[in-house]
Amino acid sequence: QVQLVESGGGLVQAGDSLTLSCAPSGRILARNGLAWFRQAPGKDRQFVAGIMWGGSSTTYADSLKGRFTISRDNTKNTVDLQMNGLKTEDTAVYYCAANLVFDLRTAPRANTYAYWGRGTTVTVSA
C-alpha cells in the first residue's frame, strides 16, 4: 500500500509561480512511477507530469512542457511540481498518483495508477 499526501495549493495571481509537493509513504519502490494529474471543474482529469521514484526519468503533457517541472526532493522525500507562469486555465484540483512501474508510454493514463492522493486546490486569478 502507498499513501500519498499533497500540499502547496492555494490562491495565486496569473503569472505567479507555485510549487506543489507529494509525500508518499508506505511501500514505495524505486521502480514506481509518481505523477501529477489535475482536474478542472466540469472537465476530465488531465495528466500533468510523471517521474520515476528511483530515477530521473520524467515525462510531461505537451501543453505544459516548459512551464511545469516535476522533480524528486531527496531531502524532503517528496515529488514536487514547480509551476511557473500560471494561467487562469491552470485552476484545478491537483492530484498525486502512484503506479507499480514507471513507463513513459503509459504514464499519461490515469487508469494505470493504483494509488491517489486527495488532491490540493490551485486557483489562479486574473
Side-chain angles (χ1 to χ4, degrees):
Q1 282 281 43
V2 175
Q3 295 79 41
L4 304 167
V5 178
E6 303 97 334
S7 62
L11 173 63
V12 297
Q13 292 187 325
D16 285 352
S17 297
L18 194 64
T19 299
L20 306 181
S21 290
C22 172
S25 61
R27 189 171 171 78
I28 187 79
L29 304 174
R31 65 175 182 265
N32 291 149
L34 277 290
W36 286 96
F37 287 78
R38 68 184 185 182
Q39 188 163 18
K43 295 190 176 182
D44 293 334
R45 192 164 294 191
Q46 176 192 17
F47 172 75
V48 174
I51 188 169
M52 180 184 287
W53 178 246
S56 59
S57 184
T58 59
T59 185
Y60 295 88
D62 287 342
S63 62
L64 301 175
K65 203 176 297 184
R67 283 199 304 127
F68 288 16
T69 302
I70 190 170
S71 62
R72 179 179 172 185
D73 187 318
N74 292 320
T75 301
K76 298 187 301 179
N77 215 35
T78 60
V79 170
D80 296 340
L81 183 69
Q82 171 72 37
M83 304 184 293
N84 297 325
L86 283 163
K87 305 175 182 179
T88 55
E89 52 262 43
D90 294 319
T91 294
V93 178
Y94 284 72
Y95 297 93
C96 182
N99 63 13
L100 297 181
V101 180
F102 180 77
D103 187 321
L104 286 172
R105 297 169 301 167
T106 60
R109 301 179 199 166
N111 62 4
T112 65
Y113 291 83
Y115 306 102
W116 291 84
R118 293 192 174 188
T120 186
T121 301
V122 174
T123 303
V124 184
S125 63

